[in-house]
Coordinates of all heavy atoms in Angstrom, one line a residue:
S1407 N -24.8 -0.7 0.0 CA -25.1 0.7 0.1 C -24.0 1.6 -0.3 O -22.8 1.3 -0.2 CB -25.4 1.0 1.6 OG -25.5 2.4 1.9
I1408 N -24.4 2.7 -1.0 CA -23.4 3.8 -1.4 C -23.2 4.8 -0.3 O -22.4 5.7 -0.5 CB -23.8 4.4 -2.7 CG1 -25.1 5.3 -2.5 CG2 -24.0 3.4 -3.8 CD1 -25.4 6.1 -3.7
G1409 N -23.9 4.7 0.8 CA -23.9 5.6 1.8 C -22.4 5.9 2.4 O -22.0 7.1 2.6
I1410 N -21.6 4.8 2.6 CA -20.3 5.0 3.1 C -19.4 5.7 2.1 O -18.6 6.5 2.5 CB -19.8 3.6 3.6 CG1 -18.4 3.8 4.3 CG2 -19.6 2.7 2.4 CD1 -18.6 4.4 5.6
V1411 N -19.5 5.4 0.8 CA -18.7 6.1 -0.2 C -19.1 7.6 -0.2 O -18.2 8.4 -0.3 CB -19.0 5.4 -1.5 CG1 -18.2 6.1 -2.6 CG2 -18.6 3.9 -1.5
V1412 N -20.4 7.9 -0.2 CA -20.8 9.3 -0.2 C -20.3 10.0 1.0 O -19.8 11.2 0.9 CB -22.4 9.3 -0.3 CG1 -22.9 10.7 -0.1 CG2 -22.9 8.8 -1.6
A1413 N -20.4 9.4 2.2 CA -19.8 10.0 3.4 C -18.4 10.3 3.3 O -17.9 11.4 3.7 CB -20.2 9.1 4.6
V1414 N -17.6 9.4 2.8 CA -16.2 9.6 2.7 C -15.8 10.7 1.7 O -15.0 11.6 2.0 CB -15.4 8.3 2.2 CG1 -14.0 8.5 1.9 CG2 -15.5 7.2 3.3
I1415 N -16.5 10.7 0.6 CA -16.2 11.8 -0.5 C -16.7 13.1 0.1 O -15.9 14.1 0.0 CB -17.0 11.5 -1.7 CG1 -16.4 10.2 -2.4 CG2 -16.9 12.7 -2.7 CD1 -17.2 9.8 -3.6
A1416 N -17.8 13.2 0.8 CA -18.3 14.4 1.4 C -17.3 14.9 2.5 O -17.1 16.1 2.6 CB -19.7 14.2 2.0
L1417 N -16.8 14.0 3.3 CA -15.8 14.4 4.3 C -14.6 15.0 3.7 O -14.1 16.1 4.1 CB -15.4 13.2 5.1 CG -14.4 13.4 6.2 CD1 -15.0 14.4 7.3 CD2 -14.0 12.1 6.9
L1418 N -14.0 14.4 2.7 CA -12.8 14.9 2.0 C -13.1 16.3 1.4 O -12.2 17.2 1.5 CB -12.3 13.9 1.0 CG -11.8 12.5 1.5 CD1 -11.4 11.6 0.4 CD2 -10.7 12.7 2.4
V1419 N -14.2 16.4 0.7 CA -14.5 17.7 0.0 C -14.8 18.8 1.0 O -14.2 19.9 0.9 CB -15.7 17.5 -1.0 CG1 -16.1 18.8 -1.5 CG2 -15.3 16.5 -2.1
A1420 N -15.7 18.5 2.0 CA -16.0 19.5 3.0 C -14.8 19.9 3.8 O -14.6 21.0 4.2 CB -17.1 19.0 3.9
R1421 N -13.9 18.9 4.1 CA -12.7 19.2 4.9 C -11.8 20.2 4.2 O -11.2 21.1 4.8 CB -11.9 18.0 5.2 CG -10.8 18.1 6.3 CD -11.3 18.5 7.6 NE -10.3 18.8 8.5 CZ -9.8 20.1 8.7 NH1 -10.3 21.1 8.0 NH2 -8.8 20.3 9.6
S1422 N -11.6 20.0 2.8 CA -10.8 20.8 2.0 C -11.3 22.2 1.9 O -10.7 23.2 1.8 CB -10.5 20.2 0.7 OG -11.7 20.1 -0.1
L1423 N -12.7 22.3 1.8 CA -13.4 23.6 1.6 C -13.5 24.4 2.9 O -13.6 25.6 2.9 CB -14.8 23.4 1.0 CG -14.8 22.9 -0.4 CD1 -16.3 22.6 -0.8 CD2 -14.1 23.8 -1.4
L1424 N -13.5 23.7 4.0 CA -13.6 24.4 5.4 C -12.4 24.5 6.1 O -12.4 24.6 7.4 CB -14.7 23.6 6.2 CG -16.1 23.5 5.5 CD1 -17.0 22.6 6.3 CD2 -16.7 24.9 5.4
K1425 N -11.2 24.5 5.5 CA -9.9 24.5 6.2 C -9.8 25.8 7.0 O -9.3 25.9 8.1 CB -8.8 24.5 5.2 CG -8.4 23.1 4.8 CD -7.2 23.0 3.9 CE -6.8 21.6 3.6 NZ -5.6 21.5 2.7
A1426 N -10.3 26.9 6.4 CA -10.1 28.2 7.1 C -11.2 28.6 8.1 O -11.2 29.6 8.7 CB -10.0 29.4 6.0
V1427 N -12.2 27.7 8.1 CA -13.4 27.9 9.0 C -13.1 27.3 10.4 O -12.5 26.2 10.5 CB -14.6 27.3 8.4 CG1 -15.8 27.5 9.4 CG2 -14.9 27.9 7.1
R1428 N -13.5 28.0 11.4 CA -13.3 27.5 12.8 C -14.2 26.3 13.0 O -15.3 26.2 12.5 CB -13.7 28.6 13.8 CG -13.4 28.2 15.2 CD -13.8 29.3 16.2 NE -13.5 28.9 17.6 CZ -13.8 29.7 18.6 NH1 -14.3 30.9 18.4 NH2 -13.5 29.3 19.8
N1429 N -13.6 25.2 13.6 CA -14.3 23.9 13.7 C -14.7 23.3 12.5 O -15.7 22.6 12.4 CB -15.5 24.1 14.7 CG -15.1 24.5 16.1 OD1 -14.1 24.1 16.6 ND2 -16.0 25.3 16.7
G1430 N -13.9 23.6 11.4 CA -14.2 23.1 10.0 C -14.2 21.6 10.0 O -15.0 20.9 9.3
G1431 N -13.3 20.9 10.7 CA -13.3 19.5 10.8 C -14.5 18.8 11.3 O -15.1 17.9 10.8
L1432 N -15.0 19.4 12.4 CA -16.3 18.9 13.1 C -17.5 19.2 12.1 O -18.3 18.3 12.0 CB -16.6 19.6 14.4 CG -17.8 19.2 15.2 CD1 -17.8 17.7 15.5 CD2 -18.0 20.0 16.4
I1433 N -17.5 20.3 11.5 CA -18.6 20.6 10.5 C -18.6 19.6 9.4 O -19.6 19.0 8.9 CB -18.6 22.0 10.0 CG1 -18.7 23.0 11.2 CG2 -19.6 22.3 9.0 CD1 -18.5 24.4 10.8
A1434 N -17.3 19.3 8.9 CA -17.2 18.4 7.8 C -17.7 16.9 8.2 O -18.3 16.2 7.3 CB -15.8 18.2 7.3
V1435 N -17.4 16.5 9.4 CA -17.9 15.2 9.9 C -19.4 15.2 9.9 O -20.0 14.2 9.5 CB -17.3 14.9 11.3 CG1 -17.9 13.7 11.9 CG2 -15.7 14.7 11.1
V1436 N -20.0 16.3 10.4 CA -21.5 16.3 10.5 C -22.1 16.2 9.1 O -23.0 15.4 8.9 CB -21.9 17.6 11.2 CG1 -23.5 17.7 11.1 CG2 -21.5 17.6 12.7
I1437 N -21.5 16.9 8.2 CA -22.0 16.9 6.8 C -21.9 15.5 6.2 O -22.8 15.0 5.6 CB -21.2 17.9 5.9 CG1 -21.6 19.4 6.3 CG2 -21.6 17.7 4.4 CD1 -20.7 20.4 5.6
A1438 N -20.8 14.8 6.5 CA -20.6 13.5 5.9 C -21.5 12.5 6.6 O -22.1 11.7 5.8 CB -19.1 13.1 6.2
V1439 N -21.8 12.6 7.8 CA -22.7 11.7 8.5 C -24.1 11.9 8.0 O -24.9 10.9 7.7 CB -22.7 11.9 10.0 CG1 -23.8 11.1 10.7 CG2 -21.4 11.5 10.6
V1440 N -24.6 13.2 7.8 CA -25.9 13.4 7.3 C -26.1 12.9 5.8 O -27.1 12.2 5.6 CB -26.2 14.9 7.3 CG1 -27.5 15.3 6.6 CG2 -26.2 15.4 8.8
L1441 N -25.1 13.2 5.0 CA -25.2 12.7 3.6 C -25.1 11.2 3.5 O -25.9 10.6 2.7 CB -24.1 13.4 2.7 CG -24.2 14.8 2.4 CD1 -23.1 15.4 1.6 CD2 -25.6 15.2 1.8
G1442 N -24.3 10.6 4.3 CA -24.2 9.2 4.3 C -25.5 8.5 4.8 O -26.0 7.5 4.2
A1443 N -26.2 9.1 5.8 CA -27.5 8.6 6.3 C -28.5 8.8 5.2 O -29.4 7.9 5.1 CB -27.8 9.3 7.6
L1444 N -28.6 9.9 4.5 CA -29.6 10.1 3.5 C -29.4 9.2 2.3 O -30.5 8.9 1.7 CB -29.5 11.5 3.0 CG -29.9 12.7 4.0 CD1 -29.7 14.1 3.5 CD2 -31.4 12.5 4.5
T1445 N -28.2 8.7 2.0 CA -28.1 7.9 0.9 C -27.9 6.4 1.3 O -27.5 5.6 0.4 CB -26.8 8.4 0.1 OG1 -25.7 8.4 0.9 CG2 -27.0 9.8 -0.5
W1446 N -28.1 6.1 2.5 CA -27.8 4.7 3.0 C -28.7 3.7 2.3 O -28.2 2.6 1.9 CB -28.0 4.6 4.5 CG -27.6 3.3 5.0 CD1 -28.5 2.3 5.4 CD2 -26.3 2.8 5.3 NE1 -27.8 1.2 5.8 CE2 -26.5 1.5 5.8 CE3 -25.1 3.3 5.1 CZ2 -25.4 0.7 6.1 CZ3 -23.9 2.6 5.5 CH2 -24.1 1.3 6.0
R1447 N -29.9 4.0 2.0 CA -30.8 3.0 1.4 C -30.6 2.8 -0.1 O -31.2 2.0 -0.7 CB -32.2 3.3 1.7 CG -32.6 3.4 3.1 CD -32.4 2.1 3.9 NE -33.0 1.0 3.3 CZ -32.9 -0.3 3.7 NH1 -32.1 -0.5 4.7 NH2 -33.6 -1.3 3.1
I1448 N -29.7 3.6 -0.7 CA -29.4 3.5 -2.1 C -28.3 2.6 -2.2 O -27.2 2.7 -1.7 CB -29.0 4.9 -2.7 CG1 -30.1 5.9 -2.5 CG2 -28.7 4.8 -4.2 CD1 -29.8 7.3 -2.9
G1449 N -28.5 1.5 -3.1 CA -27.5 0.5 -3.2 C -27.2 0.1 -4.6 O -27.9 0.4 -5.6
I1450 N -26.1 -0.7 -4.8 CA -25.6 -1.1 -6.0 C -25.6 -2.7 -5.9 O -24.9 -3.2 -5.1 CB -24.2 -0.6 -6.4 CG1 -24.2 0.9 -6.5 CG2 -23.7 -1.2 -7.7 CD1 -22.8 1.5 -6.7

Side-chain angles (χ1 to χ4, degrees):
S1407 171
I1408 65 170
I1410 188 67
V1411 177
V1412 171
V1414 171
I1415 295 175
L1417 178 63
L1418 295 176
V1419 173
R1421 187 69 185 91
S1422 62
L1423 295 177
L1424 299 175
K1425 279 185 177 179
V1427 179
R1428 186 179 180 182
N1429 296 325
L1432 180 61
I1433 297 174
V1435 170
V1436 172
I1437 293 174
V1439 171
V1440 171
L1441 290 179
L1444 292 175
T1445 57
W1446 183 260
R1447 299 303 304 176
I1448 302 174
I1450 300 176

